[in-house]
């Protein structure tokens, strides 16, 4: 049973990733890239893959900044901030590693 779930999860992840990676990198596909990234992020959050989720939060933020959508970029960063359980000046969180490779 766990094997079937693993195959299903892996298939879903690869399908979402493929949908994102096969979109052309041109302005007319900006909305499609945003939607594909958000679908991937939703899946990652649902499956508890927070490190990957945060990675794509920053990818989406960078897409918004590149398109001069600064409000959307800021709102996207709030998705990362929402994962922080509480603000405590005494607790230091590890630095988020972000790159463009996805």
């Amino acid at each position: 049973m766990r094997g079937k779930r693993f195959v299903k999860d892996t298939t879903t992840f690869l399908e979402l990733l493929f949908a994102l990676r096969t979109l052309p990198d041109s302005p007319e596909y900006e909305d499609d890239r945003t939607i594909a990234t958000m679908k991937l992020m939703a899946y990652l959050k649902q499956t508890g893959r927070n490190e990957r989720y945060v990675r794509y939060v920053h990818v989406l933020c960078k897409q918004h900044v590149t398109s001069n959508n600064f409000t959307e970029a800021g709102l996207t960063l709030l998705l990362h901030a929402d994962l922080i359980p509480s603000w405590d000046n005494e607790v230091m969180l590890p630095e988020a590693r972000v790159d463009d490779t996805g």
Side-chain angles (χ1 to χ4, degrees), residues 13-14 16-18 20-22 36-37 40-41 43-44 49-60 62-63 97-102:
F13 176 68
L14 290 175
L16 291 167
L17 196 58
F18 181 76
L20 177 60
R21 296 294 183 191
T22 56
T37 303
L40 178 59
M41 287 169 49
Y43 171 77
L44 293 170
R49 296 177 177 138
N50 288 341
E51 190 172 312
R52 285 265 180 206
Y53 172 77
V54 168
R55 184 178 192 176
Y56 280 98
V57 164
H58 288 271
V59 167
L60 182 59
K62 186 174 180 181
Q63 288 175 5
R97 292 184 172 176
V98 179
D99 61 30
D100 294 335
T101 60

Side-chain angles (χ1 to χ4, degrees), residues 75-89:
L75 292 171
T76 300
L77 288 176
L78 284 176
L79 297 173
H80 185 177
D82 288 342
L83 295 178
I84 300 170
S86 66
W87 292 100
D88 186 348
N89 292 333

